[in-house]
């Protein structure tokens, strides 16, 4: 049996993208789950440490304790709560839309590859039926990625604050490269696991 090469896979992906333009909406939103977000977080955390000396955990503490120093009034509290609830609702809806597009894109491409129809509404519904398994898989790998960024950021903070030992300074470049490789592996595994949940476990395609 002939095993598809990367060139053939890329060629077919290009043809699907060219012929099925309605998949662009799924792809644009699903891109937010891509590896670029992980590396953006990675660079932001490291830039923050290098430029200000403030770690990611210090930033979280400042966020949760800084609001106490603000001059709160009853009207201000009510407005802040309303805005907070509204913002939280928008974020939740955005995350749900991203996950559904991610799932719908995987299912659509699999069905098109087999010569079957892939209507947008049906793909949305199919992704919705497997929303929680998909969310669990994606969420697990995102947690691992964020944890790995913190794992690499803490030694850098110690090095810049002159509290690191010699061995930590020597091993940090290796740790840095290892974390980047780990993030890349997590991204691939997240996509493969999501594909398994959607295609094999649910037997949709």
């Amino acid at each position: 049996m002939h095993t598809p090469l990367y060139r053939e896979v890329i060629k077919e992906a290009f043809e699907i993208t060219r012929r099925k333009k309605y998949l662009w909406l799924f792809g644009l939103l699903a891109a937010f789950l891509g590896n670029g977000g992980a590396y953006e977080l990675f660079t932001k955390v490291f830039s923050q440490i290098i430029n200000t000396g403030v770690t990611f955990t210090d930033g979280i503490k400042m966020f949760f304790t800084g609001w106490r120093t603000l001059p709160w009034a009853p009207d201000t509290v009510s407005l802040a709560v309303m805005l907070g609830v509204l913002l939280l609702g928008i974020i939740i809806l955005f995350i749900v839309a991203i996950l559904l597009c991610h799932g719908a894109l995987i299912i659509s491409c699999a069905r098109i590859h087999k010569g079957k129809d892939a209507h947008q509404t049906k793909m949305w519904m199919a992704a919705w039926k497997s929303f929680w398994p998909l969310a669990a898989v994606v969420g697990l790998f995102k947690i691992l990625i964020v944890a790995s960024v913190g794992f690499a950021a803490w030694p850098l903070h110690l090095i810049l604050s002159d509290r690191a030992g010699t061995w930590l300074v020597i091993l940090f470049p290796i740790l840095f490269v290892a974390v980047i490789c780990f993030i890349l592996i997590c991204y691939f595994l997240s996509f493969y696991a999501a594909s398994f949940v959607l295609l094999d476990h649910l037997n949709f395609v």
Side-chain angles (χ1 to χ4, degrees), residues 130-184:
S130 56
F131 174 79
W132 290 113
L134 177 63
V137 167
V138 174
L140 173 62
F141 282 100
K142 289 300 180 182
I143 291 173
L144 290 176
I145 289 173
V146 173
S148 66
V149 172
F151 181 74
W154 180 247
L156 178 61
H157 174 67
L158 294 178
I159 292 172
L160 295 178
S161 59
D162 296 325
R163 289 186 291 169
T166 305
W167 278 107
L168 183 59
V169 176
I170 295 174
L171 295 176
F172 179 75
I174 300 175
L175 175 64
F176 183 85
V177 174
V179 168
I180 291 180
C181 293
F182 178 77
I183 290 174
L184 187 61

Side-chain angles (χ1 to χ4, degrees), residues 100-133:
L100 289 178
C101 285
H102 184 61
L105 183 63
I106 293 174
I107 297 172
S108 298
C109 291
R111 291 183 64 85
I112 292 172
H113 175 71
K114 291 187 175 182
K116 299 180 180 180
D117 64 313
H119 297 295
Q120 278 185 312
T121 305
K122 291 182 179 179
M123 299 303 99
W124 274 91
M125 294 305 298
W128 176 253
K129 291 179 181 178
S130 56
F131 174 79
W132 290 113

Side-chain angles (χ1 to χ4, degrees), residues 3-196:
T3 302
L5 301 175
Y6 287 109
R7 182 178 62 182
E8 297 176 15
V9 172
I10 294 174
K11 180 181 178 181
E12 183 172 359
F14 176 78
E15 289 298 322
I16 292 176
T17 304
R18 185 178 61 85
R19 290 186 288 108
K20 309 293 183 180
K21 293 182 174 58
Y22 63 86
L23 294 179
W24 291 9
L25 174 61
F26 295 156
L28 288 174
L29 287 177
F32 285 95
L33 287 178
N35 208 31
Y39 287 119
E40 183 179 356
L41 173 64
F42 196 84
T43 54
K44 282 185 177 180
V45 171
F46 274 67
S47 298
Q48 183 184 33
I49 294 174
I50 293 173
N51 296 330
T52 66
V54 179
T55 64
F56 180 71
T57 54
D58 292 336
I60 295 296
K61 290 179 181 179
M62 293 171 59
F63 174 79
F64 284 105
T65 59
W67 59 271
R68 297 177 182 176
T69 61
L70 297 175
W72 293 102
D75 294 340
T76 307
V77 173
S78 301
L79 180 61
V81 171
M82 291 177 60
L83 291 177
V85 172
L86 179 61
L87 180 62
L88 180 62
I90 293 174
I91 292 174
I92 292 175
L93 289 176
F94 186 64
I95 292 175
V96 171
I98 290 174
L99 288 172
L100 289 178
C101 285
H102 184 61
L105 183 63
I106 293 174
I107 297 172
S108 298
C109 291
R111 291 183 64 85
I112 292 172
H113 175 71
K114 291 187 175 182
K116 299 180 180 180
D117 64 313
H119 297 295
Q120 278 185 312
T121 305
K122 291 182 179 179
M123 299 303 99
W124 274 91
M125 294 305 298
W128 176 253
K129 291 179 181 178
S130 56
F131 174 79
W132 290 113
L134 177 63
V137 167
V138 174
L140 173 62
F141 282 100
K142 289 300 180 182
I143 291 173
L144 290 176
I145 289 173
V146 173
S148 66
V149 172
F151 181 74
W154 180 247
L156 178 61
H157 174 67
L158 294 178
I159 292 172
L160 295 178
S161 59
D162 296 325
R163 289 186 291 169
T166 305
W167 278 107
L168 183 59
V169 176
I170 295 174
L171 295 176
F172 179 75
I174 300 175
L175 175 64
F176 183 85
V177 174
V179 168
I180 291 180
C181 293
F182 178 77
I183 290 174
L184 187 61
I185 291 172
C186 281
Y187 170 68
F188 284 129
L189 290 179
S190 174
F191 186 82
Y192 295 147
S195 300
F196 173 79

